[in-house]
Amino acid sequence: MYWIGFDIGSSSIKAALINADDGSVRDIAQQPRQEMPIDSPNRGWAEQDPDLWWKYVCAAIHELISKNNIVKTDIKGIGISYQMHGLVTVGKDLQPLRPSIIWCDSRAVETGEQLFQKAGKTKCVEHLLNAPGNFTLSKLKWVKDNEPGIYGKIHKFMLPGDYIALKLSGECVTTPSGLSEGILWDFKENAPATWLLEEAGIDPSLVSEVRPSFSEQGFVGKQGAAESGLPEGIPIMYRAGDQPNNALSLNVMEPGQIAATGGTSGVVYAISDLEHTKEHTRINSFAHTNHSINDPRIGKLLCINGTGIQYSWIKNELTKGLSYDNMNQQAESIPVGSEGLQILPFGNGAERMLENCNKGSRVLNLNFNVHKAPHLFRAALEGIAFSFVYGMEILQNDGVEITSIKAGNDNLFRAELFSQTIATLTNSKIDIVQTTGAVGAARAAAFAHGDFASIGEATASDAIQMTHEPVASSDAYHEAYQTWKKELKKYIDN
């Protein structure tokens, strides 16, 4: 018997089959082979057709079933992970009224700030742990203000994962974790923030029914079964946004544990049991998948835009066909601190962790008589690593006590120089684990159903690919970081 998990991304859909007896991975499928298109009708906008996600969910299911020659009735149930902060609106016929306004769309920034002022900064931070920002509620408010004809037809609004669950089950259901991602969950009241909806002039009845992240959230209906190829009647047992789910996939569930990713952008997601924040302008706080009113679990998320994209830019624009492994090997030949060469890796839009600074990347102290290409590679890796450490200091200032760091098996964290720098400066080992969001979603569904006693048991078959330890002689690392941080302060102040 198997569980199936989906990861609804903006570039592709991943689906994973895991064995119900031990959580091991049977197979993973990705659809489409090329990235899904993102439409941008105006500058700063980003939209996708929700039915495109559904099309490729169905394609991935069919691929897994046919490729593995399994009987579909051997699939016990479903877990769903999805791109965070998006907005899907449906009418009474449960069909989308417009394209989804997805996570990277920036049209609602001003709308969110106006709502923050109107609702009251103190109340928002104390009850929501966030400002409304450019998240789901603000995007819905934008639709109300700018597309009243569409708004008037809305039966329910939802997040991307809610829409896929709707296509499977025919029911409009959401979760506390999902509503917190949209800045719609009142942590003090343990309920949807109806007061904020009313401030926005939005009818609270547009919110879908709320069910726990680990629970029966609906069953595959006749139409969902016919289109997807899944058996009718199996349950949807789990749903979470991609970053909370990434943490779950790494078995990051308790206070002090951190899940880190180093892709095009970087994310540090820390678990805390504190339902308050003083860093709401630099980080976001969400209800983690296992959050409850009696046992709080808050996911404090810090995003760094200019990480992997900087290293890939150097590779693509400044090297002659070198691989990342070649670049990493050359970087290791240079001493800590890159002989004075420094890079501030903030060239990919406004950096929330830097109070929305958007001044581009900086290369500092370049000496044509000293520095060669390997210096540039090391300075790039060090600058990205330093930005992660700086972000963790922000999290510590918000009450997070770091006990462990886990990361997925991505290119940056596989680079020993990069991970060792972070491990040394935080005095924490970093475990690199081979897993994916779709696998995590499938295991979470199995756990919710009772097949496993804990997420730790569900993920027990994952091997730690490598562990990066702090180095014993750390003075050079700390000196280089403090010098870099002084330049960062000048960057922010200027």
Side-chain angles (χ1 to χ4, degrees):
M1 300 295 288
Y2 305 96
W3 289 87
I4 192 166
F6 305 114
D7 187 4
I8 314 302
S10 51
S11 59
S12 67
I13 306 299
K14 295 183 180 69
L17 276 178
I18 64 114
N19 290 294
D21 55 351
D22 63 358
S24 61
V25 179
R26 172 67 183 263
D27 199 7
I28 299 172
Q30 178 174 322
Q31 291 283 345
R33 303 299 184 219
Q34 303 297 323
E35 289 191 2
M36 291 186 291
I38 296 175
D39 298 322
S40 184
N42 290 298
R43 184 177 180 180
W45 291 20
E47 299 181 344
Q48 284 185 318
D49 177 2
D51 284 330
L52 194 62
W53 308 331
W54 175 240
K55 171 184 175 181
Y56 291 117
V57 164
C58 295
I61 293 168
H62 288 295
E63 178 182 340
L64 285 176
I65 290 174
S66 61
K67 180 181 175 184
N68 291 280
N69 194 30
I70 66 171
V71 179
K72 67 180 182 180
T73 52
D74 285 345
I75 300 175
K76 296 179 66 174
I78 300 160
I80 300 172
S81 170
Y82 57 87
Q83 49 176 295
M84 297 170 72
H85 316 313
L87 171 70
V88 181
T89 57
V90 299
K92 290 183 178 179
D93 61 357
L94 304 183
Q95 298 302 310
L97 294 168
R98 66 173 328 284
S100 172
I101 303 175
I102 66 172
W103 63 277
C104 52
D105 186 293
S106 60
R107 76 185 72 184
V109 171
E110 184 177 349
T111 301
E113 181 58 30
Q114 290 171 352
L115 187 56
F116 191 33
Q117 300 293 335
K118 183 180 179 184
K121 292 184 177 181
T122 300
K123 185 171 185 179
C124 285
V125 174
E126 289 182 351
H127 285 254
L128 308 170
L129 309 185
N130 294 283
N134 183 44
F135 297 112
T136 308
L137 173 62
S138 299
K139 291 167 181 173
L140 179 60
K141 169 68 169 166
W142 185 94
V143 171
K144 181 180 186 294
D145 293 344
N146 294 275
E147 299 175 344
I150 290 175
Y151 177 81
K153 297 176 183 177
I154 296 175
H155 171 61
K156 298 290 181 183
F157 73 90
M158 56 192 64
L159 295 151
D162 300 338
Y163 182 71
I164 296 304
L166 165 64
K167 293 296 290 184
L168 288 164
S169 69
E171 293 186 76
C172 297
V173 175
T174 192
T175 66
S177 179
L179 290 178
S180 78
E181 297 165 27
I183 320 302
L184 272 164
W185 188 253
D186 188 319
F187 286 88
K188 286 189 176 295
E189 301 298 328
N190 195 42
T194 53
W195 55 271
L196 187 60
L197 289 164
E198 289 164 358
E199 287 283 5
I202 292 169
D203 184 350
S205 70
L206 301 186
V207 179
S208 298
E209 180 183 345
V210 182
R211 296 180 188 169
S213 296
F214 301 110
S215 69
E216 288 184 350
Q217 301 171 3
F219 299 86
V220 175
K222 185 175 182 179
Q223 184 173 348
E227 294 181 18
S228 70
L230 292 173
E232 186 175 350
I234 63 171
I236 302 166
M237 294 298 304
Y238 166 80
R239 195 176 325 174
D242 51 13
Q243 292 304 329
N245 181 73
N246 177 64
L248 175 144
S249 302
L250 294 166
N251 191 27
V252 170
M253 304 293 286
E254 298 302 326
Q257 296 176 341
I258 283 180
T261 57
T264 299
S265 61
V267 170
V268 182
Y269 186 92
I271 309 301
S272 172
D273 57 3
L274 302 176
E275 290 186 284
H276 60 75
T277 180
K278 57 183 177 181
E279 291 285 6
H280 69 277
T281 62
R282 296 199 286 178
I283 65 176
N284 294 110
S285 299
F286 305 120
H288 192 42
T289 56
N290 58 341
H291 172 74
S292 70
I293 190 169
N294 296 320
D295 197 12
R297 291 294 180 269
I298 306 300
K300 294 182 179 289
L301 188 153
L302 182 141
C303 185
I304 312 161
N305 292 341
T307 55
I309 193 172
Q310 177 206 239
Y311 206 44
S312 68
W313 184 88
I314 291 174
K315 176 181 182 293
N316 294 332
E317 301 296 334
L318 303 181
T319 72
K320 298 178 181 179
L322 288 178
S323 68
Y324 286 120
D325 284 344
N326 293 146
M327 293 168 66
N328 296 342
Q329 289 169 7
Q330 290 189 30
E332 288 171 0
S333 70
I334 304 300
V336 176
S338 306
E339 296 191 277
L341 184 62
Q342 296 175 325
I343 295 181
L344 302 180
F346 305 116
N348 190 32
E351 293 283 355
R352 177 177 171 82
M353 64 176 273
L354 302 181
E355 303 283 6
N356 291 319
C357 279
N358 185 10
K359 301 175 182 178
S361 182
R362 303 279 175 91
V363 179
L364 305 166
N365 308 320
L366 178 62
N367 186 319
F368 300 127
N369 298 309
V370 174
H371 298 129
K372 310 298 181 186
H375 291 86
L376 187 65
F377 303 155
R378 177 155 197 137
L381 287 173
E382 286 184 333
I384 300 167
F386 292 160
S387 70
F388 270 81
V389 174
Y390 184 77
M392 290 185 204
E393 289 179 355
I394 294 172
L395 290 167
Q396 288 174 313
N397 190 54
D398 208 44
V400 172
E401 295 183 8
I402 300 173
T403 60
S404 67
I405 302 172
K406 290 183 179 180
N409 197 19
D410 54 40
N411 285 332
L412 279 174
F413 277 96
R414 285 185 65 83
E416 184 174 7
L417 184 161
F418 173 80
S419 292
Q420 194 173 71
T421 299
I422 296 174
T424 301
L425 291 172
T426 61
N427 196 33
S428 302
K429 72 174 184 176
I430 301 175
D431 288 330
I432 309 300
V433 181
Q434 178 70 56
T435 190
T436 72
V439 170
R443 288 169 170 167
F447 160 71
H449 189 260
D451 284 11
F452 299 100
S454 66
I455 295 299
E457 183 179 307
T459 60
S461 61
D462 282 339
I464 295 175
Q465 301 292 306
M466 60 184 73
T467 296
H468 299 284
E469 301 273 2
V471 301
S473 301
S474 62
D475 289 352
Y477 289 86
H478 286 282
E479 181 180 346
Y481 175 57
Q482 292 302 324
T483 303
W484 180 91
K485 198 157 66 165
K486 288 178 183 177
E487 294 296 342
L488 177 63
K489 187 177 187 304
K490 294 177 187 176
Y491 172 94
I492 296 172
D493 291 344
N494 293 333

Short mmCIF file of all heavy atoms in Angstrom, two decimals, residues 10 22 138 141 168 173 205 209 224 256 270 274 283 300 330 346 430 432 458 473 488 490:
data_model
loop_
_atom_site.label_atom_id
_atom_site.label_comp_id
_atom_site.label_asym_id
_atom_site.label_seq_id
_atom_site.Cartn_x
_atom_site.Cartn_y
_atom_site.Cartn_z
N SER A 10 5.34 26.70 -8.55
CA SER A 10 5.01 27.62 -9.64
C SER A 10 5.76 27.26 -10.91
O SER A 10 5.40 27.71 -12.00
CB SER A 10 5.34 29.07 -9.24
OG SER A 10 6.65 29.17 -8.74
N ASP A 22 6.88 1.61 5.77
CA ASP A 22 8.10 2.17 6.38
C ASP A 22 8.41 3.59 5.91
O ASP A 22 9.43 4.16 6.33
CB ASP A 22 9.30 1.26 6.09
CG ASP A 22 9.62 1.16 4.60
OD1 ASP A 22 8.90 1.76 3.77
OD2 ASP A 22 10.61 0.47 4.26
N SER A 138 -4.27 40.64 1.34
CA SER A 138 -4.06 41.90 0.63
C SER A 138 -4.34 41.74 -0.86
O SER A 138 -4.87 42.66 -1.51
CB SER A 138 -2.62 42.38 0.84
OG SER A 138 -2.37 42.61 2.22
N LYS A 141 -8.06 41.83 -1.18
CA LYS A 141 -8.49 43.23 -1.05
C LYS A 141 -8.23 44.00 -2.35
O LYS A 141 -9.05 44.80 -2.78
CB LYS A 141 -7.76 43.87 0.13
CG LYS A 141 -7.88 45.38 0.25
CD LYS A 141 -9.27 45.84 0.61
CE LYS A 141 -9.25 47.33 0.97
NZ LYS A 141 -10.62 47.90 1.01
N LEU A 168 -9.98 17.63 -6.16
CA LEU A 168 -10.04 16.21 -5.80
C LEU A 168 -11.33 15.84 -5.10
O LEU A 168 -11.94 14.81 -5.39
CB LEU A 168 -8.86 15.85 -4.89
CG LEU A 168 -7.48 15.79 -5.56
CD1 LEU A 168 -6.38 15.83 -4.51
CD2 LEU A 168 -7.35 14.54 -6.43
N VAL A 173 -12.10 23.72 1.61
CA VAL A 173 -11.57 23.54 2.95
C VAL A 173 -10.19 24.18 3.03
O VAL A 173 -9.43 24.13 2.06
CB VAL A 173 -11.48 22.04 3.32
CG1 VAL A 173 -10.81 21.85 4.67
CG2 VAL A 173 -12.86 21.40 3.31
N SER A 205 -17.75 35.21 5.22
CA SER A 205 -18.29 33.96 4.70
C SER A 205 -17.51 33.44 3.49
O SER A 205 -17.69 32.30 3.07
CB SER A 205 -19.76 34.12 4.32
OG SER A 205 -19.90 34.94 3.17
N GLU A 209 -14.19 26.42 5.02
CA GLU A 209 -14.23 25.72 6.30
C GLU A 209 -12.80 25.38 6.74
O GLU A 209 -11.97 24.97 5.92
CB GLU A 209 -15.05 24.43 6.16
CG GLU A 209 -15.14 23.63 7.45
CD GLU A 209 -15.91 22.33 7.28
OE1 GLU A 209 -16.61 22.17 6.25
OE2 GLU A 209 -15.79 21.47 8.18
N GLY A 224 -13.31 13.98 -9.27
CA GLY A 224 -11.89 14.03 -8.98
C GLY A 224 -11.20 12.72 -9.30
O GLY A 224 -10.06 12.71 -9.81
N GLY A 256 13.73 25.47 18.32
CA GLY A 256 15.18 25.49 18.18
C GLY A 256 15.69 24.81 16.92
O GLY A 256 16.84 25.00 16.53
N ALA A 270 12.68 28.64 11.15
CA ALA A 270 12.98 28.22 12.51
C ALA A 270 11.70 27.95 13.28
O ALA A 270 10.73 28.70 13.16
CB ALA A 270 13.80 29.28 13.22
N LEU A 274 7.12 30.59 20.82
CA LEU A 274 6.77 31.94 21.27
C LEU A 274 5.75 32.57 20.33
O LEU A 274 6.03 32.76 19.14
CB LEU A 274 8.01 32.82 21.34
CG LEU A 274 9.15 32.33 22.25
CD1 LEU A 274 10.35 33.25 22.15
CD2 LEU A 274 8.66 32.22 23.69
N ILE A 283 10.98 39.44 9.35
CA ILE A 283 10.65 38.02 9.19
C ILE A 283 9.13 37.87 9.21
O ILE A 283 8.40 38.81 9.54
CB ILE A 283 11.27 37.15 10.30
CG1 ILE A 283 10.68 37.51 11.67
CG2 ILE A 283 12.79 37.27 10.30
CD1 ILE A 283 11.17 36.62 12.79
N LYS A 300 9.07 30.61 12.08
CA LYS A 300 9.58 31.96 11.80
C LYS A 300 10.42 31.89 10.53
O LYS A 300 11.47 31.23 10.51
CB LYS A 300 10.37 32.50 12.99
CG LYS A 300 9.48 32.73 14.22
CD LYS A 300 10.26 33.32 15.38
CE LYS A 300 9.36 33.57 16.59
NZ LYS A 300 8.43 34.69 16.39
N GLN A 330 38.03 25.30 -6.48
CA GLN A 330 38.93 26.45 -6.61
C GLN A 330 38.77 27.39 -5.41
O GLN A 330 39.76 27.95 -4.90
CB GLN A 330 38.65 27.20 -7.91
CG GLN A 330 39.07 26.44 -9.15
CD GLN A 330 38.98 27.30 -10.41
OE1 GLN A 330 39.15 28.50 -10.36
NE2 GLN A 330 38.73 26.64 -11.55
N PHE A 346 23.08 40.84 -2.50
CA PHE A 346 21.69 41.32 -2.45
C PHE A 346 21.30 42.00 -3.77
O PHE A 346 20.99 43.19 -3.81
CB PHE A 346 21.52 42.28 -1.26
CG PHE A 346 21.94 41.67 0.04
CD1 PHE A 346 23.01 42.17 0.77
CD2 PHE A 346 21.29 40.55 0.53
CE1 PHE A 346 23.40 41.60 1.97
CE2 PHE A 346 21.68 39.95 1.73
CZ PHE A 346 22.74 40.49 2.45
N ILE A 430 25.41 20.92 10.68
CA ILE A 430 24.37 20.96 9.66
C ILE A 430 24.25 19.59 9.02
O ILE A 430 25.23 19.07 8.46
CB ILE A 430 24.69 22.02 8.57
CG1 ILE A 430 24.83 23.41 9.20
CG2 ILE A 430 23.61 22.02 7.49
CD1 ILE A 430 25.25 24.48 8.21
N ILE A 432 22.68 17.29 6.13
CA ILE A 432 22.11 17.37 4.78
C ILE A 432 21.33 16.08 4.53
O ILE A 432 21.87 14.97 4.61
CB ILE A 432 23.21 17.52 3.71
CG1 ILE A 432 24.16 18.67 4.08
CG2 ILE A 432 22.59 17.74 2.35
CD1 ILE A 432 23.51 20.02 4.21
N ALA A 458 8.09 8.47 10.50
CA ALA A 458 7.74 8.48 9.07
C ALA A 458 8.95 8.79 8.20
O ALA A 458 9.03 8.34 7.05
CB ALA A 458 6.62 9.48 8.81
N SER A 473 39.36 25.82 14.81
CA SER A 473 39.99 27.15 14.80
C SER A 473 39.10 28.12 14.04
O SER A 473 39.17 28.20 12.80
CB SER A 473 41.38 27.07 14.16
OG SER A 473 42.19 26.15 14.86
N LEU A 488 28.02 45.59 5.50
CA LEU A 488 26.56 45.47 5.35
C LEU A 488 25.86 46.64 6.02
O LEU A 488 24.89 47.18 5.48
CB LEU A 488 26.09 44.15 5.96
CG LEU A 488 24.57 43.92 5.95
CD1 LEU A 488 24.05 43.85 4.53
CD2 LEU A 488 24.21 42.65 6.71
N LYS A 490 26.99 49.67 6.39
CA LYS A 490 27.15 50.83 5.50
C LYS A 490 26.17 50.74 4.33
O LYS A 490 25.57 51.73 3.94
CB LYS A 490 28.58 50.88 4.95
CG LYS A 490 29.65 51.15 5.99
CD LYS A 490 31.02 51.11 5.32
CE LYS A 490 32.15 51.21 6.34
NZ LYS A 490 33.47 51.08 5.68
#
